[in-house]
Amino acid sequence: MRFITLNTNQISRLIKNEYFEITNDTRIELHKDGLFLNCNGYIFQSVSIGLQFVEREVPNKHVINYIQNLICEHLNLRPCEVIYLDSGNDEFEFKIRFPSRQEWYIVVCESQRARSNTIACTNEQFDVNINASFIGLYKRLGNSSYYFRWFNDI
């Protein structure tokens, strides 16, 4: 029996390429029927795999959770399908991951930021009702003060 430990970079390369070379004559191969260690043509079948995970540090986690729940309710999604990516400039970026391996990106912000972004894109001044369903490319998330736009729209 052989034990091998891969770091995150090596795991990523294994998943992307479906193999990872440890040495010139030894590599881990991912096939449709399993995970194998190939040592100079001698095949070792995987018996078990141990993985370690560390939670990512997220500032303002309660705000992120609130927005994630709004997105889930509005788009009829499960929390595991709405993945927080980043935040900055009063905007929150999320990735929507569907079981079919499709990913869509959205940006969420409060109504004031949606107004200023729309004005910056269109160079037009306009009055928007505080309870508007749309502000330019942004659509309101339920009855909240948050609006979202699909990332590819701008």
Side-chain angles (χ1 to χ4, degrees), residues 57-138:
E57 297 275 331
V58 176
N60 297 322
K61 192 170 184 175
H62 63 283
V63 174
I64 302 302
N65 289 341
Y66 174 72
I67 295 171
Q68 180 189 36
N69 288 333
L70 286 174
I71 294 169
C72 289
E73 288 177 23
H74 187 78
L75 299 175
N76 195 27
L77 298 169
R78 298 179 313 168
C80 63
E81 296 170 323
V82 180
I83 301 160
Y84 168 73
L85 296 176
D86 197 13
S87 60
N89 295 331
D90 301 323
E91 295 180 329
F92 303 89
E93 298 175 16
F94 289 86
K95 173 175 29 179
I96 311 294
R97 183 177 291 156
F98 297 100
S100 63
R101 295 189 181 214
Q102 277 190 323
E103 293 180 345
W104 294 354
Y105 295 86
I106 64 171
V107 175
V108 177
C109 59
E110 291 192 77
S111 58
Q112 188 60 35
R113 172 56 77 177
R115 283 187 195 95
S116 63
N117 287 352
T118 300
I119 289 169
C121 287
T122 62
N123 290 327
E124 294 180 20
Q125 294 290 334
F126 61 93
D127 290 326
V128 175
N129 180 346
I130 271 194
N131 294 320
S133 295
F134 290 91
I135 299 175
L137 296 174
Y138 292 86

